[in-house]
Amino acid sequence: MNAQDAAKAASFYATDAVLYPPGQAQVRGRVAIEAYWKAAIDQDALHDVRVETIEARSASDLGYEVGLFAITV
């Protein structure tokens, strides 16, 4: 994100991931997530992105991460 590279940022998501932006509709799938981040980058809306993982777990083919995500807009 800090490199302003939506494709690279989206590559860290599973193909069927769901993004839950605060106060907005969920964004489903890596392609849609890339478009979401690209729109934010194109609007020069992302600065000083910080991610902190609190917990990450997986079982069989399911995985999830709980964490804090801070963006200066």
Side-chain angles (χ1 to χ4, degrees), residues 15-71:
T15 57
D16 60 349
V18 181
L19 180 67
Y20 294 95
Q24 299 177 34
Q26 58 185 308
V27 182
R28 293 187 157 273
R30 185 185 295 153
V31 171
I33 290 169
E34 179 178 345
Y36 176 86
W37 290 127
K38 182 169 182 346
I41 290 167
D42 289 348
Q43 295 174 12
D44 195 31
L46 301 179
H47 303 278
D48 189 27
V49 177
R50 290 175 283 124
V51 179
E52 178 185 344
T53 300
I54 295 172
E55 177 182 4
R57 295 194 182 208
S58 65
S60 186
D61 64 347
L62 174 67
Y64 70 89
E65 177 182 8
V66 176
L68 301 173
F69 191 87
I71 302 173

